[in-house]
Amino acid sequence: MKQRLESLAAAGVKQLPKASRRGGRSAASGPTSTALPPAASGVDADTDRIRSLRILNQQVADCTQCVELAATRTHTVFGVGPPDARICFFGEAPGADEDASGEPFVGRAGELLTKIIEACKLRREDVYILNVLKCRPPGNRPPLPGEVANCRRFFEQQLEIIAPEYICCLGTSASHALLGTAEPIGELRKRWFAHGSAKVICTYHPSYLLQNPAAKRDVWDDMKVMMSDMGVEL
Ligand code: URA
């Protein structure tokens, strides 16, 4: 049992799913190195997702492709949340607090993200949280294009395994990395995009809100749009 719980923790699972919300649906739809066998359903599908995330997490921990990041990181920061989450919040890269703890969004921006999630009548444990980069860029500089390219296989596989219904991109880096656009974040807001079978919405990054509290109103508007689409009125 202890070994099993350690294995789940390694996959970023902090709570066990009570029952799958997705009976009959295969978690992985494309050919990846962590592709799941088809026809998994219910509890089997959750088990497959957990196993695939654990394998991917280990690949991330072993990665040294970005020489500078691998040399300066304390921990890789894979992601956290239920393996069958309906919503993924997609951030930029770990900061100092996340590098120290190995968990995404645990610093000041993370506290604000938790408040945003709770304002949506959700708990942080209900959503999956991940970043474009799995290693902290020194000095919290923005990710370099080559680093995003190196990490793409990890976040793409992660999203494919979880297969969320909604992806909320937090800020410019996440929006650009996922959508392959260079449009300013202000112009990406208030529009729906698609990524695989997920609906994608873009909003400001919590770190931006710490510097520009007036923009909280815009993020709240974006959350209302997403939650309304899910059938939840805020
Ligand atoms: N900012 C991010 O984009 N991700 C984190 O995990 C923390 C801060």
Side-chain angles (χ1 to χ4, degrees), residues 91-95 98 104-105 109 131 205 207:
E92 178 178 295
E98 292 77 20
F105 281 100
N131 285 309
H205 192 285
S207 298

Side-chain angles (χ1 to χ4, degrees), residues 107-166:
R108 280 184 69 220
E111 283 169 20
L112 186 49
L113 178 61
T114 303
K115 283 188 188 158
I116 293 168
I117 292 166
E118 289 174 353
C120 294
K121 300 185 184 164
L122 297 166
R123 296 169 306 165
R124 187 176 156 109
E125 315 86 87
D126 294 331
V127 304
Y128 197 93
I129 303 173
L130 73 162
N131 285 309
V132 175
L133 293 195
K134 309 306 184 195
C135 297
R136 180 191 183 205
N140 296 344
R141 61 161 171 74
L144 301 175
E147 293 166 349
V148 175
N150 287 342
C151 247
R152 177 168 298 282
R153 65 191 171 108
F154 294 133
F155 70 73
E156 291 283 10
Q157 283 191 56
Q158 217 170 352
L159 291 170
E160 188 171 331
I161 293 165
I162 297 160
E165 288 168 52
Y166 295 88

